[in-house]
Amino acid sequence: DAKTTQPTSMDCAEGRAANLPCNHSTISGNEYVYWYRQIHSQGPQYIIHGLKNNETNEMASLIITEDRKSSTLILPHATLRDTAVYYCIVRVLGDYGGATNKLIFGTGTLLAVQP
Amino acid sequence: DTEVTQTPKHLVMGMTNKKSLKCEQHMGHRAMYWYKQKAKKPPELMFVYSYEKLSINESVPSRFSPECPNSSLLNLHLHALQPEDSALYLCASSQAPDRGRSPLHFGNGTRLTVT
């Protein structure tokens, strides 16, 4: 299974961009990079995912390097409500039918947004 | 709010009890998942169902028994649990087949305490 490496914790000032790095040097060519976050006592919340190209949605942007060995999640204007554990995950693919697809969580980054 | 509903939110049970956790989704997803999360740790995959059939069992002890009675429902039957099984149990669902392209949607979990 592809592994990810993230910093244990990061701080960010409210209103500034939060840039969360992730290394996934063993990723395979057809595996997607997913980002989730988990606020205390809630289930993980999907943020964004991508394969090769950079992606943007209403929550965040995902920048994937050309060699796909690392990525960065960007929260453009962090708020106090963005304080959470952020997980970078490589989706392990199984059979075509998706019966054995896995989402294996790493240890994540605790992002603390400071007022 | 989440589109995956888990009940109950909290459960306290003795080691000789039998209880069940329930999960429901109405997004038409055909893959459903159980995860276990201990305090300050990432979620760990337990089971994957695809088209109502068990496709992955991550070597989970037999005191945990999953069941998928239809495409919208997922149960986790608990029997003779140990105090170390106390954790947050998370249910998730996703489209299938998807080749890893579709995100998992998580519920907010059942907080289980075994006394």
Side-chain angles (χ1 to χ4, degrees):
Chain A
D1 295 352
K3 296 282 193 282
T4 61
T5 305
Q6 300 176 253
T8 303
S9 63
M10 293 181 63
D11 288 343
C12 177
E14 191 177 18
R16 303 298 294 268
N19 296 279
L20 291 91
C22 178
N23 287 320
H24 32 78
S25 58
T26 60
I27 192 169
S28 298
N30 60 350
E31 291 179 330
Y32 285 75
V33 178
Y34 277 77
W35 283 83
Y36 280 77
R37 72 181 183 184
Q38 189 172 24
I39 297 168
H40 182 61
S41 296
Q42 295 182 17
Q45 178 189 22
Y46 166 74
I47 301 173
I48 199 166
H49 72 286
L51 183 64
K52 290 188 263 197
N53 300 320
N54 298 339
E55 302 287 346
T56 295
N57 63 20
E58 65 277 5
M59 287 183 69
S61 295
L62 174 59
I63 309 297
I64 302 175
T65 58
E66 195 168 340
D67 64 7
R68 302 209 330 120
K69 292 185 177 182
S70 65
S71 60
T72 301
L73 178 75
I74 301 172
L75 306 179
H77 306 286
T79 71
L80 298 179
R81 286 177 294 182
D82 293 321
T83 292
V85 177
Y86 286 77
Y87 293 103
C88 167
I89 304 162
V90 172
R91 183 93 180 262
V92 177
L93 298 185
D95 63 278
Y96 177 78
T100 52
N101 289 346
K102 297 183 184 182
L103 201 72
I104 306 297
F105 286 77
T107 52
T109 296
L110 174 58
L111 175 69
V113 180
Q114 310 289 346
Chain B
D1 284 350
T2 174
E3 295 166 301
V4 176
T5 303
Q6 291 189 243
T7 55
K9 288 185 169 41
H10 301 274
L11 179 63
V12 179
M13 62 184 288
M15 289 189 284
T16 57
N17 291 158
K18 286 185 182 181
K19 296 286 184 183
S20 297
L21 310 184
K22 296 187 185 304
C23 174
E24 190 168 3
Q25 57 87 16
H26 295 289
M27 295 178 281
H29 291 169
R30 301 304 296 274
M32 296 187 78
Y33 310 76
W34 280 115
Y35 282 79
K36 173 182 176 178
Q37 186 174 25
K38 301 281 283 184
K40 299 189 187 303
K41 297 290 187 183
E44 296 176 12
L45 182 65
M46 299 174 73
F47 302 104
V48 180
Y49 272 82
S50 178
Y51 292 90
E52 295 87 68
K53 288 186 170 42
L54 182 65
S55 58
I56 295 177
N57 176 341
E58 292 284 88
S59 303
V60 179
S62 59
R63 58 185 184 270
F64 296 91
S65 175
E67 178 196 21
C68 191
N70 61 54
S71 60
S72 300
L73 293 174
L74 185 66
N75 298 322
L76 186 63
H77 302 297
L78 313 172
H79 174 56
L81 294 194
Q82 304 297 311
E84 57 265 28
D85 296 320
S86 298
L88 181 68
Y89 288 84
L90 294 160
C91 173
S93 69
S94 71
Q95 293 178 13
D98 73 332
R99 291 297 284 165
R101 295 188 189 99
S102 66
L104 272 65
H105 296 252
F106 284 83
N108 281 328
T110 294
R111 178 78 58 189
L112 175 68
T113 302
V114 182
T115 61

